[in-house]
Amino acid sequence: RQTQGVSSAAQDVYKRQTQSTWGFYKQQAMGLVNKIFYHVGRISASYPYMTIFVCLSITLVCSLGLLNLKIEGDPQALWVSANSRGNKEQEYVKQKYGSFFRIEQLILKKKGSYARDSSIDLFKKPYLEMIYHIQTLMETEILHHKNQYFSLFDICYKPITGNGCLVTSPMEFWLMNLSLIHI
């Protein structure tokens, strides 16, 4: 049998030479690694206290950088460069319109459904009633923490001062009136 003009015997010889060449280098590398580990083990066993001291010293020297470690907790500073265009634009908006705020979301899905299941209609009466009850609970719940009382009104975003929280919900279509759902 011949492949591209080279006999199978020649291919076998080439394979054996290549394998023996790689085998030789592999054997040399393993011998060198074995010698290194043998000497390291022998020195470590001969001088155990010196080995512990050297290991601890190297660890301490490598850990010196932790003295200057500062942990950043501001997500804006973590993800956006201080000199970036986005950061400059956000500072401008903050100066002109007030501080930056975050919006929280509550995402509902039918039990047992997949995230991309488009056959689920959450605008059916049972789901809307559930949304109504959850929203009413969130708006009326009072939290007691460290001898202080908090409600949603204390922590929510109020675009018009003193005029209530900005809460966007499907229930706004029914004016937060449960009886309008049943019409």
Side-chain angles (χ1 to χ4, degrees):
R1 210 175 15 159
Q2 290 188 358
T3 305
Q4 298 176 352
V6 179
S7 69
S8 63
Q11 287 179 353
D12 290 340
V13 170
Y14 175 75
K15 281 183 186 178
R16 275 188 261 128
Q17 286 177 347
T18 305
Q19 288 173 352
S20 65
T21 303
W22 283 111
F24 172 76
Y25 288 126
K26 181 179 174 183
Q27 187 177 11
Q28 292 295 325
M30 290 303 294
L32 179 64
V33 170
N34 284 339
K35 284 182 186 178
I36 290 171
F37 279 114
Y38 171 78
H39 288 297
V40 168
R42 186 167 185 204
I43 292 170
S44 297
S46 300
Y47 306 101
Y49 295 114
M50 181 60 79
T51 302
I52 292 171
F53 175 75
V54 168
C55 290
L56 287 176
S57 299
I58 290 172
T59 302
L60 284 173
V61 168
C62 291
S63 300
L64 285 176
L66 293 175
L67 295 174
N68 295 325
L69 178 69
K70 294 176 185 163
I71 297 176
E72 182 63 60
D74 178 21
Q76 186 71 19
L78 282 173
W79 296 103
V80 181
S81 170
N83 298 327
S84 72
R85 179 179 174 190
N87 196 30
K88 290 176 185 174
E89 288 175 359
Q90 185 167 350
E91 286 298 320
Y92 173 79
V93 169
K94 186 177 180 180
Q95 289 173 356
K96 295 289 182 183
Y97 303 108
S99 64
F100 180 71
F101 67 93
R102 295 196 181 275
I103 297 175
E104 298 299 328
Q105 297 181 34
L106 182 65
I107 300 174
L108 302 174
K109 70 175 191 131
K110 183 177 177 183
K111 187 175 183 178
S113 66
Y114 295 101
R116 295 180 186 226
D117 190 356
S118 61
S119 66
I120 307 301
D121 183 9
L122 288 177
F123 284 96
K124 290 184 178 177
K125 288 181 185 179
Y127 300 121
L128 291 172
E129 288 174 358
M130 181 183 63
I131 292 170
Y132 172 80
H133 292 300
I134 291 172
Q135 185 173 343
T136 303
L137 178 69
M138 289 173 51
E139 290 176 351
T140 58
E141 187 70 21
I142 296 175
L143 172 73
H144 180 252
H145 179 70
K146 294 185 180 180
N147 297 326
Q148 290 183 321
Y149 293 95
F150 300 96
S151 69
L152 180 65
F153 187 78
D154 297 319
I155 60 172
C156 71
Y157 175 63
K158 300 173 198 84
I160 302 173
T161 307
N163 214 13
C165 299
L166 174 65
V167 178
T168 57
S169 165
M171 290 307 300
E172 290 178 15
F173 293 114
W174 291 273
L175 305 172
M176 268 307 282
N177 187 343
L178 194 55
S179 62
L180 293 177
I181 294 174
H182 298 290
I183 295 178

